């Protein structure tokens, strides 16, 4: 682990997770504050994990990612997510990603998609032709049949494809010396994520039942629950850092079931401590 970190070959893979993505915002903040997830760190992602991976490596701040994603969730909450999530996500990515996003992300981001023909197989996309190709890769990685945009499959680079989570739920970065798997689903509820290093239930009991977590995956939770998921992500990553001697807070602190609603929006500072992402020094002060 330490050797991989020192050599710059420690990598992170973010699992599929639907609308539970706020866990990744908190985990990422903690890992960045500890100096473990760096600008040059390679990442992989499937479905919701591809969103956080691409946004991070395209140069967006955590504040910006939180604001645009909370806007997306608010729209889903008001009008529903079934067959609407796809168009909303595409609009969000086109509004948020910078013009040079593909150049920034190429070689540092691995987006998992599922190639359909002649049979289901995983496909990690690492290099992107341009911004449109990068956005299309994320859209493909998130394409749950019918739910995403009403269509059973999507075409990516002239190939029929589906959500990357179907065949590569928790993707690794190829050639990494050590890949850390991050998941926002409870490990005790999914056999295939039993090897997640950072996830609900790895270091502490997870207080939310499986039925509620499945519901929040496809139907957005209220904002106070989303804020609580951000703080839970911080705790999961902090416990992993502590367990591996990489600083961070130790396990054992009670996980939040809810937080005061903050409703972060683009251009507006958040009043919620869970949704404020400061500098490494500020984050370090939170961990002490």
């Amino acid at each position: 682990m330490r050797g991989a970190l020192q050599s710059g070959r420690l990598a992170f893979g973010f699992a599929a997770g639907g609308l539970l993505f706020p866990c990744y915002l908190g985990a990422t903040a903690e890992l960045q504050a500890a100096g473990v997830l760096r600008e040059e760190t390679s990442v992989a992602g499937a479905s919701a994990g591809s969103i956080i991976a691409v946004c991070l490596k395209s140069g967006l701040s955590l504040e910006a990612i939180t604001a645009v994603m909370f806007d997306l969730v608010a729209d889903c909450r008001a009008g529903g997510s079934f067959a609407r999530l796809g168009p909303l996500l595409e609009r969000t990515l086109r509004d948020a990603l910078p013009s040079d996003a593909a150049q920034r992300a190429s070689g540092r981001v691995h987006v998992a998609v599922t190639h359909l023909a002649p049979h289901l197989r995983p496909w990690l996309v690492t290099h992107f032709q341009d911004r449109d190709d990068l956005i299309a890769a994320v859209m493909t990685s998130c394409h749950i049949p019918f739910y995403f945009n009403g269509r059973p499959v999507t075409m990516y680079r002239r190939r029929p494809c589906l959500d990357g989570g179907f065949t590569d739920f928790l993707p690794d970065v190829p050639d990494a010396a050590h890949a850390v798997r991050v998941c926002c689903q409870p490990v005790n509820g999914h056999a295939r994520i039993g090897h997640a290093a950072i996830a609900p239930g790895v270091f502490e009991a997870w207080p939310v039942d499986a039925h509620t977590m499945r519901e929040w995956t496809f139907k957005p939770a209220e904002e106070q629950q989303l804020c609580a998921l951000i703080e839970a992500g911080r705790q999961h990553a902090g416990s992993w850092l502590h367990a591996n001697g990489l600083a961070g807070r130790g396990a054992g602190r009670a996980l939040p079931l809810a937080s005061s609603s903050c409703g972060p929006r683009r251009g507006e500072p958040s009043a919620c401590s869970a949704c404020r992402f400061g500098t490494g020094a500020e984050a370090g002060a939170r961990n002490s």
Side-chain angles (χ1 to χ4, degrees):
M1 176 81 73
R2 288 187 176 276
L5 178 60
Q6 292 169 356
S7 68
R9 296 182 60 213
L10 180 67
F12 292 86
F14 295 90
L19 296 173
L20 296 174
F21 71 87
C23 279
Y24 293 150
L25 298 172
T28 297
E30 200 81 357
L31 296 170
Q32 286 182 336
V36 174
L37 179 55
R38 305 166 179 169
E39 184 178 353
E40 67 273 16
T41 302
S42 292
V43 295
S47 201
S50 74
I51 300 173
I52 188 69
V54 165
C55 286
L56 282 174
K57 295 305 172 181
S58 295
L60 295 183
S61 67
L62 285 173
E63 293 91 339
I65 300 170
T66 302
V68 298
M69 294 307 291
F70 269 60
D71 281 349
L72 180 149
V73 169
D75 201 323
C76 286
R77 194 181 294 114
S81 54
F82 186 86
R84 295 184 69 245
L85 182 57
L88 290 174
L89 177 60
E90 182 172 12
R91 184 183 70 191
T92 297
L93 293 173
R94 292 197 178 281
D95 287 347
L97 293 180
S99 59
D100 62 346
Q103 292 91 330
R104 289 171 177 258
S106 285
R108 296 195 299 164
V109 177
H110 305 265
V111 175
V113 302
T114 295
H115 187 207
L116 281 178
H119 53 79
L120 290 178
R121 62 180 177 86
W123 177 18
L124 272 181
V125 184
T126 303
H127 296 282
F128 309 96
Q129 301 162 8
D130 51 32
R131 184 171 175 271
D132 286 344
D133 185 57
L134 176 64
I135 291 172
V138 176
M139 295 290 291
T140 303
S141 187
C142 295
H143 190 99
I144 299 174
F146 300 106
Y147 168 79
F148 191 58
N149 62 5
R151 294 192 289 271
V153 300
T154 190
M155 299 296 291
Y156 179 62
R157 297 183 181 176
R158 300 183 179 181
R159 304 178 188 182
C161 296
L162 292 175
D163 186 297
F166 283 107
T167 53
D168 201 359
F169 186 84
L170 222 176
D172 286 331
V173 172
D175 301 323
H178 186 88
V180 180
R181 295 176 169 184
V182 187
C183 187
C184 53
Q185 298 278 0
V187 294
N188 58 356
H190 296 76
R192 58 181 170 177
I193 62 176
H195 296 294
I198 301 173
V202 173
F203 294 99
E204 55 277 302
W206 181 241
V208 184
D209 63 84
H211 173 78
T212 300
M213 292 295 285
R214 284 193 297 270
E215 188 174 77
W216 287 352
T217 300
F218 298 104
K219 296 180 180 179
E222 295 300 319
E223 284 183 345
Q224 63 265 30
Q225 274 75 43
L226 298 183
C227 293
L229 288 174
I230 292 176
E231 182 57 31
R234 289 185 190 272
Q235 171 70 3
H236 302 149
S239 296
W240 176 82
L241 288 164
H242 181 78
N244 286 278
L246 298 172
R249 65 170 75 90
R253 193 180 64 170
L255 286 167
L257 287 171
S259 173
S260 58
S261 179
C262 68
R265 293 291 179 264
R266 277 178 277 190
E268 299 178 11
S270 173
C272 174
S273 60
C275 298
R276 289 200 301 268
F277 304 102
T279 65
E282 290 169 343
R286 283 194 300 268
N287 296 345
S288 59

